[in-house]
Amino acid sequence: EPGDLVLIHNTALDSTVRRYKVLPRYFGPVVVVKRTPKGNYVVKECNGATWADPVAKFRVIQYIGRKNPELYKLYSNKPL
């Protein structure tokens, strides 16, 4: 949905395992601007700069911050 924070999977690193082990696998968090009719997402940086190309749906995952209440709901029912 527009306004959600998401991470973008860096698919360029999928075919390379050893050479780029320490590089980040995800870009972001970025903000969703809109979803195109084909299912891609238009995203922008947190500073307001919009990405030039839309991002495919399979590369987008929801961002959950460390202090987000949703994170605590996920793990509050499980014993440590």
Side-chain angles (χ1 to χ4, degrees), residues 47-77:
N47 65 4
T50 305
W51 284 26
D53 297 322
V55 179
K57 183 180 178 179
F58 74 91
R59 294 181 61 197
V60 176
I61 63 168
Q62 184 180 8
Y63 174 76
I64 300 176
R66 291 183 184 186
K67 295 185 179 183
N68 190 333
E70 292 291 322
L71 185 64
Y72 293 111
K73 287 179 190 175
L74 288 172
Y75 294 103
S76 63
N77 297 335

Side-chain angles (χ1 to χ4, degrees), residues 1-8 27-35 41-46 60-65 68 70:
E1 292 185 24
D4 286 349
L5 289 175
V6 295
L7 296 174
I8 308 297
F27 298 115
V30 295
V31 180
V32 173
V33 176
K34 69 177 183 175
R35 188 171 177 186
Y41 290 96
V42 176
V43 297
K44 66 179 180 178
E45 298 284 339
C46 292
V60 176
I61 63 168
Q62 184 180 8
Y63 174 76
I64 300 176
N68 190 333
E70 292 291 322

